């Protein structure tokens, strides 16, 4: 006898209808599944952006400015133009007309990291700005010719230090159109009156993106139509933005990005794609433009430095009376992305009063951008270290202090939490990690090594951006294709959404395929903010409802489904069935055959993310860390890490575990080594290579255990929250707190390097 499809009592669907998949435990969702793109990548058959072969290809090399501000006084390209194999040298003197780049977050489809018009005048805005592009028959010829370019500058006074930028005055920060400032009550007065308090300044440095695949694009014009193979996490956004820059219709630009070798916020629109398209137009030939590792540092933005003041006042029982989290970050005049380090503080803990504020100081440098958990990754370093310091002052266990200040509702918005089980995550994590064995600071020693434990909370908001859409094509033989302008950057998007679509349609995995990574497909979906899976899920739900409505019309009065509405049936056993009466079932093949149809196509847009208006929605983590610090050299080694996560329903445990671990590893880099060395004399990044900009390697990464609550959130598509950025959030603070427990010394300035511990 067929088992009835299980229903959730309060689930996410348009109109508040129940979604049977949230608690459905008998299909593909929630089961470990290997990535469907794995075999292609292992065989080297997955084509990345710099691997598309085009006839008559040219190869690009980019020359960069060496001053922070001023103008190009003279530019000698004669030797470069005459070098072997050179097809074209493009500068501001011969570049085609282009409009300013649409700046990200100023329009729903904008993708630009800065709002400058690319190579349209002689002005220099930062040290590393592209000043010339060489096209040649081979990459080696282009690189050689670039070295022959001679340039003279008229330098102007530039602001290249935080101190100088602050001296010129700061401005209120904004993030996603909202002010980064909030005051509830008189937090300063409550702090002054509190019997227990801490007031500390924390600093985090610049950090640069270093995905395993450097930024690249292969592009060609066919008349007024532009085809771009890009490493992109926003194909629709990039297509729209390029159309605006070149003043053509959006439909004349096709951006594809089937595989991306890591993005983390950096793989949107930068000047190299614009330069590649412009030089291809000028030369009348296809162009492959692949930034060197140094080129990524020069052109692509990263995480801005922060200076954070955190003060917390508490009663003797640990209850917070005041939380103050203020400070300054830096950005440029030509972008709109300050590091929003107070976001996690807005919803993390209960307190009587709050004072939160991010001020912006302006520096002449490359534009900032999103970098995995922007704001949260560094903001939780300040907040969670401060809570650890307060716990020490109170003589209280750090976990117990956090639990005592667990809010019943969002402490600054007043809205109820849609789903929050961080206390359960802490309890499970502490038991698994052996937190009870933690000793007093500086007391546990093994030979030369001081050993300590630390913990920290991580939060990351749930997002679902508007613009999601999907198309489902169902054929008579019971096969379906789901098409959506989504992206696969190695996190398992295609795999997860294949299983979600298959389960929603009631089909086996082998009967469903996913089309993605193409701007001509439905939807304007960004792979960012840990929101792509929710956006795709909502889009597929909308498209499936349209599909079901059409199938019920085709089924007619002779079907077991006669008289049922779309809300009463679901995909089941390669067909449709009444949700609470699955014996009322008809296969897709039967419906389409009787209607004389070979296929049915349904396309729909997801509803607006109204759930965000009613609920405070977040992913959560409890990060536990054990470190060893050498008492002689100051060397720090992370022994082991455990992440205990509360992120709603886990759709694919295998890829989720990989995402959690990857985020934690990036957090280890943030804590111990990542730092962009910025020469304040001339605004130049000094360590623009992986030889000098250190990221974790195999010997730096300890055993990492991950566990999760797996409690569905009834107010989200599929019950899931985002998981891409929660792993890094809290990890930096957990490491720093463990270093204190090992040594008795506080490090409040990341990264925690051995010179600070000597």
């Amino acid at each position: 006898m067929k088992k009835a499809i299980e229903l959730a009592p309060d689930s996410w669907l348009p109109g508040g209808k129940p979604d049977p998949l949230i608690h459905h435990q008998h299909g593909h969702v929630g089961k470990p599944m290997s990535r469907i793109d794995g075999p292609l990548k292992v065989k080297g058959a997955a084509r990345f952006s710099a691997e598309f072969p085009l006839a008559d290809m040219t190869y690009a090399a980019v020359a960069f400015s060496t001053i922070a501000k001023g103008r190009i006084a003279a530019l000698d390209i004669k030797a470069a133009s005459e070098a072997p194999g050179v097809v074209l040298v493009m500068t501001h003197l011969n570049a085609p007309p282009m409009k300013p780049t649409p700046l990200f977050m100023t329009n729903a489809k904008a993708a630009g990291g800065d709002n400058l018009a690319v190579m349209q005048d002689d002005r220099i805005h930062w040290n590393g700005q592209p000043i010339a592009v060489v096209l040649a028959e081979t990459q080696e010829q282009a690189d050689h010719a670039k070295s022959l370019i001679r340039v003279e500058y008229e330098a102007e006074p530039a602001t290249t230090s935080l101190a100088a930028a602050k001296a010129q005055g700061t401005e209120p920060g904004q993030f996603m159109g909202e002010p980064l400032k909030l005051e509830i009550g008189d937090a300063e007065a409550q702090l002054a009156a509190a019997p227990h308090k801490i007031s500390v300044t924390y600093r985090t440095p610049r950090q640069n993106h270093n995905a395993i695949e450097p930024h690249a694009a292969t592009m060609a014009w066919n008349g007024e139509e532009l085809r771009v193979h890009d490493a992109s996490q926003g194909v629709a956004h990039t297509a729209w933005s390029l159309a605006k820059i070149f003043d053509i219709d959006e439909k004349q630009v096709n951006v594809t990005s089937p595989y991306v070798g890591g993005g983390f916020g950096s793989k949107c629109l930068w000047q190299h794609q614009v330069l590649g398209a412009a030089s291809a137009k000028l030369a009348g030939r296809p162009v492959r433009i692949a930034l060197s590792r140094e080129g990524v540092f020069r052109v692509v933005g990263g995480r801005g430095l922060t200076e954070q003041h955190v003060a917390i006042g508490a009663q003797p029982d640990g209850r917070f009376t005041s939380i103050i989290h203020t400070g300054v970050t830096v950005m440029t005049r030509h972008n709109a992305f300050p590091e929003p380090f107070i976001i996690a503080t807005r919803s993390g803990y209960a307190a009587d009063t709050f004072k939160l504020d991010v001020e912006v100081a302006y520096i002449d440098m490359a534009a900032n951008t999103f970098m995995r958990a922007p704001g949260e990754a560094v903001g939780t370093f300040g907040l969670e270290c401060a809570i650890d310091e307060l716990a020490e002052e109170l003589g209280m266990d750090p976990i117990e202090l956090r639990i005592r200040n667990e809010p019943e509702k969002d402490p600054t918005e007043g809205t109820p939490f849609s789903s929050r089980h961080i206390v359960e995550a802490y309890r499970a994590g502490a038991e698994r990690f052996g937190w009870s064995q933690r000793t007093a600071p500086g007391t546990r020693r093994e030979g030369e090594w001081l050993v300590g434990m630390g913990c920290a909370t991580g939060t990351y908001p749930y997002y679902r951006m508007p613009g999601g859409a999907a198309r489902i094509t169902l054929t008579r033989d019971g096969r379906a294709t789901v098409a959506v302008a989504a992206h696969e950057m190695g996190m398992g998007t295609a795999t997860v959404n294949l299983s979600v679509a298959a389960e929603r349609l009631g089909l086996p995995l082998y009967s469903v395929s996913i089309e993605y990574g193409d701007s001509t497909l439905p939807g304007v979906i960004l792979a960012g903010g840990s929101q792509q899976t929710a956006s795709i899920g909502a889009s597929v739900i909308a498209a499936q409802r349209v599909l079901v409505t059409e199938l019920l019309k085709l089924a007619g009065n002779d079907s077991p489904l006669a008289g049922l509405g779309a809300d009463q049936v679901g995909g089941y056993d390669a067909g449709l069935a009444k949700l609470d009466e699955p014996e009322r079932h008809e296969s897709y093949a039967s419906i389409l055959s009787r209607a004389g149809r070979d296929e049915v196509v349904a396309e729909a847009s997801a509803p607006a993310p109204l759930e965000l208006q009613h609920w405070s929605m977040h992913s959560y983590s409890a990060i536990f860390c054990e470190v060893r610090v050498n008492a002689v050299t100051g060397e720090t080694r992370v022994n082991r890490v455990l992440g205990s996560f509360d992120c709603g329903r886990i759709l694919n445990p295998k890829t989720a575990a990989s995402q959690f671990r990857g985020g934690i590893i990036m957090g280890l880099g943030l804590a111990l080594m990542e730092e962009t060395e910025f020469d304040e004399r001339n605004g130049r990044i000094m360590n623009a290579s992986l030889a000098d900009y250190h990221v974790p390697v195999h010997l730096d990464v300890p055993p990492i255990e991950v566990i999760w609550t797996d409690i569905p959130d009834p107010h989200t598509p599929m019950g899931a929250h985002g998981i891409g950025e929660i792993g890094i959030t809290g990890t930096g603070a957990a490491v720093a707190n463990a270093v204190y427990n090992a040594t008795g010394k506080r490090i409040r300035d990341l990264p925690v390097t051995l010179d600070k511990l000597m």
Side-chain angles (χ1 to χ4, degrees), residues 470-505:
R471 180 172 62 241
I472 302 174
T473 302
L474 179 69
T475 60
R476 186 188 291 191
D477 60 357
R479 294 185 175 274
T481 301
V482 177
V484 58
H487 313 80
E488 176 58 82
M489 301 191 293
M491 63 282 211
T493 295
T495 307
V496 165
N497 287 290
L498 176 71
S499 64
V500 168
E503 184 155 337
R504 189 164 292 284
L505 294 168

Side-chain angles (χ1 to χ4, degrees), residues 247-558:
D247 198 21
I248 56 180
D249 190 271
E250 182 181 4
K251 295 180 180 178
Q252 292 176 283
V253 184
N254 180 202
V255 178
T256 65
S257 184
Y259 303 101
V260 182
F264 310 105
S266 74
K267 295 265 175 87
C268 290
L269 182 64
W270 297 96
Q271 290 203 1
H272 68 282
Q273 296 111 312
V274 181
L275 293 170
S279 58
K281 191 175 186 67
L282 202 60
R285 291 177 60 177
V287 168
R288 176 175 295 162
I289 184 165
L291 293 179
S292 64
R293 185 61 64 182
E294 179 196 354
V296 175
F297 278 85
R298 302 287 177 232
V299 176
V300 177
R303 200 189 300 278
L305 63 82
T306 73
E307 187 177 82
Q308 307 173 40
H309 172 64
V310 184
I312 305 175
Q315 294 294 336
D317 63 357
R319 184 177 60 82
F320 297 162
T321 58
S322 173
I323 294 179
I324 297 172
H325 195 173
T326 61
V328 65
T329 186
V330 298
M331 68 180 203
T332 70
R333 294 284 181 185
H334 50 268
N335 89 313
F337 191 84
E339 194 70 22
F341 54 78
I342 64 165
I343 291 180
T345 313
R346 293 193 303 208
S347 63
Y349 300 97
D352 296 334
T353 61
F354 287 85
K355 181 180 180 180
L356 313 176
D357 188 19
V358 176
E359 292 287 309
V360 174
Y362 290 96
I363 285 183
D364 296 307
M365 62 180 190
N368 298 340
T369 194
F370 292 86
M371 189 168 179
R372 199 174 200 167
E376 290 85 1
V378 293
T380 52
F381 168 66
L383 175 66
E384 293 295 312
C385 286
I387 289 176
D388 203 72
E389 295 201 37
L390 182 61
E392 190 72 19
E393 202 271 338
L394 285 163
M396 187 178 296
D397 180 84
I399 295 177
E400 182 59 32
L401 178 60
R402 288 170 169 85
I403 292 175
R404 287 194 185 186
N405 289 281
E406 175 69 4
E408 294 182 0
K409 60 183 179 179
D410 189 293
T412 61
E413 296 292 333
T415 50
F417 291 110
S418 64
S419 173
R420 181 176 171 119
H421 305 281
I422 183 61
V423 173
E424 291 95 317
Y426 255 117
R427 299 288 192 213
E431 181 177 358
R432 182 76 71 94
F433 192 72
W435 183 257
S436 62
Q437 303 304 308
R438 180 175 178 267
T439 61
T443 60
R444 181 179 168 193
R445 186 164 184 147
E446 298 176 4
E448 289 186 353
W449 296 91
L450 300 167
V451 184
M453 293 182 183
C455 71
T457 305
T459 73
Y460 191 81
Y462 164 91
Y463 293 117
R464 184 171 67 82
M465 298 177 187
R471 180 172 62 241
I472 302 174
T473 302
L474 179 69
T475 60
R476 186 188 291 191
D477 60 357
R479 294 185 175 274
T481 301
V482 177
V484 58
H487 313 80
E488 176 58 82
M489 301 191 293
M491 63 282 211
T493 295
T495 307
V496 165
N497 287 290
L498 176 71
S499 64
V500 168
E503 184 155 337
R504 189 164 292 284
L505 294 168
L507 291 171
L509 292 171
Y510 59 78
S511 294
V512 181
S513 60
I514 300 284
E515 293 179 353
Y516 61 92
D518 191 321
S519 63
T520 63
L521 298 177
V524 182
I525 296 176
L526 182 73
S530 296
Q531 59 86 47
Q532 183 174 235
T533 296
S535 295
I536 297 170
S539 302
V540 171
I541 288 171
Q544 190 215 10
R545 287 171 64 82
V546 174
L547 179 72
V548 168
T549 300
E550 180 63 20
L551 287 170
L552 290 174
K553 290 179 183 177
L554 294 176
N557 294 327
D558 295 331

Side-chain angles (χ1 to χ4, degrees), residues 553-620:
K553 290 179 183 177
L554 294 176
N557 294 327
D558 295 331
S559 170
L561 305 171
L564 298 178
D567 294 332
Q568 297 174 280
V569 300
Y572 188 59
D573 197 16
L576 296 180
K578 192 169 186 290
L579 290 175
D580 57 355
E581 196 178 340
E583 57 270 18
R584 290 188 63 179
H585 172 274
E586 186 171 9
S587 69
Y588 297 131
S590 172
I591 295 172
L592 291 178
S593 295
R594 193 168 64 256
R597 296 279 293 272
D598 292 326
E599 67 178 27
V600 177
V601 180
E603 183 172 329
S605 297
L610 298 179
E611 64 267 32
L612 290 164
Q613 298 179 13
H614 304 292
W615 308 96
S616 180
M617 310 178 78
H618 309 266
S619 295
Y620 302 99

Side-chain angles (χ1 to χ4, degrees), residues 372-373 376-377 380 456-460 530 619-624 641-645 647 656-668 670 704 706 722-734:
R372 199 174 200 167
E376 290 85 1
T380 52
T457 305
T459 73
Y460 191 81
S530 296
S619 295
Y620 302 99
S621 64
I623 305 294
F624 298 84
V641 179
L642 183 143
S644 181
F645 296 95
C647 301
S658 179
Q659 282 285 88
F660 289 141
R661 289 193 178 97
I664 289 170
I665 292 169
M666 203 165 172
L668 297 179
L670 177 147
I704 298 173
V706 293
I723 63 173
E725 288 158 286
I726 189 62
I728 189 176
T729 306
T731 298

